[in-house]
Amino acid sequence: MDETRSARFRRQQKELLFPNVGTYYQEPLVLESAKGMFIKDVDGREYLDFFGGILTVSVGHCHPRVTEAAVTQQRKLVHVSTLYPTVPQLELAEKLVQLKPMKEPAKVFFTNSGTEANETAVTLAKEATGRQELVVLRHNYAGRGTLALSMMGNQHYRPRNQSEVSGIRFAHAPYCYRCDFGLKYPDCGVACAKDLKSLIETTTDGEIAAFMAEPILGVGGFITPPKEYFEIAVPIAREHGGLFIADEVQTAWGRTGGKWWGVQQFGVEPDILTSAKGMANGQPIGLTMAKSQVADKGNFANISTFGASPISMAAASATLAVIEEEKLLFNTQMMGQALREGLTRLQERFQGIGDVRGMGLMQAIELVKDRGTKEPDPQGTSRLMEASKKRGLLVGKGGLYGNALRIAPPMVVNKTQIDDALRLLGEALAEALQR
């Protein structure tokens, strides 16, 4: 029997790529084209996309304005490296420092990815403070570089035979559903945040370079802190000499609804922030932004061959313009509320949904085998992924136990598409959680 196109490509994937390249589904989807909220595979089947390439397609697949900006730039100037200033780079930098979540002046540095952005931020923090030790959160994901892997708060992404970068301390995550202290919010007094003081005083030399955290832990399963978490944690870090680095690789550009930056939802200002993903709607990009007084401490030589790619810069500027002109900060807030309400209704129907959490269009459900014991249900989550795909709905998953469904559509999603996704998800849940 002749192979289907998708079967042939899946066979080639196994033959040609590293075996640890992660893919979803028992038979990975081979995708060929996309437009707006929809993706087609090589066999012509269409899917409603509620994951957006891991929160990277922010304004819809192949948005005409972003595509045209990239194509126009491709015809004009493709590459020079950061050795030369370019108009697209400076135009984007000017826009970004206008949007910054800091009151003080800021400066930026462009790279290719979130991994590079995070490593740039940590290096800068160490230079600026003259200190070495770093506090990060358990359940966090910082990227694929050696430093990022050493900061990894999820065992599944940590290689077993690697030398780790020293001086990294792991704080308790603000994971209210699975509190490390066995407490319940708000009676807990946000003990996870207050514990930073003890962590720093007992496991470091008393002074740190930085406290680095995602406003919402993405790969961790969209773990969403209590509103006052950062208002407690950040001053503790600063009292011990540390800068606050906000890892906005997933939470920036309006994803959390109503505001440009996720950290703005929590009432604190970062000293340094990082981002990537949705900033250029799919073009490779990374951003490190720092208060000018911090950025100016980085006196070591710095260069990025593909950072500040004129094409990525043009695509990012167009993406930000679309977010503004199409009022997507507001749309994300409204559609996120509709999505959350629908997921809460599903939780009432299905005992297997232990927790619903998130903010804006960054929502998650965590599946458990028993609500009382909270035993994770990764098998049910895998069945749910398959059942959703079968119905033409793409979502993501994550969490330490692989039992959190991550739901994050492009920010152009409308109410009809939210309703369609919730209906399909409800059907998939009914199939996947049958005992």
Side-chain angles (χ1 to χ4, degrees), residues 133-421:
E133 293 178 292
L134 180 72
V135 174
V136 299
L137 293 179
R138 301 176 189 186
H139 298 274
N140 91 90
Y141 179 93
R144 299 185 302 105
T146 299
L147 174 59
L149 290 173
S150 296
M151 295 189 289
M152 185 68 65
N154 186 320
Q155 64 177 345
H156 303 294
Y157 294 95
R158 294 176 70 94
R160 297 190 178 190
N161 300 303
Q162 299 287 322
S163 297
E164 291 194 355
V165 175
S166 64
I168 297 170
R169 304 291 181 264
F170 289 86
H172 294 283
Y175 194 176
C176 292
Y177 184 63
R178 297 185 183 277
C179 176
D180 288 339
F181 300 91
L183 303 173
K184 280 198 168 186
Y185 179 80
D187 296 338
C188 63
V190 197
C192 54
K194 294 174 181 175
D195 188 64
L196 254 68
K197 184 175 188 296
S198 176
L199 176 75
I200 294 170
E201 291 178 351
T202 61
T203 68
T204 76
D205 63 9
E207 292 189 327
I208 60 172
F211 167 52
M212 182 173 184
E214 300 167 87
I216 296 175
L217 284 88
V219 174
F222 291 177
I223 295 170
T224 307
K227 279 286 189 179
E228 61 269 43
Y229 172 82
F230 286 104
E231 292 178 339
I232 298 170
V234 170
I236 292 173
R238 287 179 172 149
E239 285 167 9
H240 293 83
L243 302 175
F244 172 43
I245 304 173
D247 177 349
E248 295 260 9
V249 170
Q250 294 195 28
T251 52
W253 319 118
R255 172 58 61 181
T256 59
K259 300 181 185 297
W260 280 100
W261 309 95
V263 73
Q264 290 176 312
Q265 307 283 5
F266 296 94
V268 295
E269 289 187 17
D271 300 293
I272 307 173
L273 69 78
T274 63
S275 193
K277 290 190 181 292
M279 181 179 173
N281 207 46
Q283 292 288 339
I285 197 166
L287 166 70
T288 305
M289 178 187 291
K291 293 178 178 179
S292 295
Q293 62 184 19
V294 175
D296 290 344
K297 297 286 182 63
N299 295 318
F300 57 95
N302 208 358
I303 186 174
S304 177
T305 300
F306 292 105
S309 156
I311 298 169
S312 294
M313 300 293 99
S317 290
T319 299
L320 299 184
V322 170
I323 292 171
E324 286 185 317
E325 293 169 16
E326 297 187 11
K327 297 179 172 56
L328 296 186
L329 300 187
F330 178 73
N331 189 65
T332 298
Q333 187 174 22
M334 294 298 99
M335 293 304 100
Q337 181 178 335
L339 178 58
R340 177 59 167 268
E341 290 171 355
L343 293 174
T344 301
R345 290 193 297 270
L346 289 176
Q347 184 182 28
E348 294 169 357
R349 286 175 54 194
F350 297 100
Q351 287 295 307
I353 299 178
D355 192 32
V356 178
R357 56 178 178 259
M359 194 179 290
L361 288 173
M362 195 172 181
Q363 299 288 334
I365 60 175
E366 181 167 344
L367 298 191
V368 293
K369 295 179 180 179
D370 182 275
R371 283 190 182 178
T373 65
K374 300 183 182 179
E375 180 185 354
D377 189 5
Q379 298 84 7
T381 308
S382 294
R383 292 194 300 270
L384 180 54
M385 293 284 289
E386 296 291 340
S388 299
K389 182 191 79 166
K390 183 170 70 175
R391 289 167 171 79
L393 175 67
L394 302 185
V395 291
K397 68 175 180 176
L400 178 63
Y401 309 106
N403 68 321
L405 205 69
R406 296 192 287 164
I407 306 166
M411 298 188 299
V412 293
V413 67
N414 61 39
K415 182 61 165 56
T416 298
Q417 292 159 346
I418 293 284
D419 291 341
D420 286 345

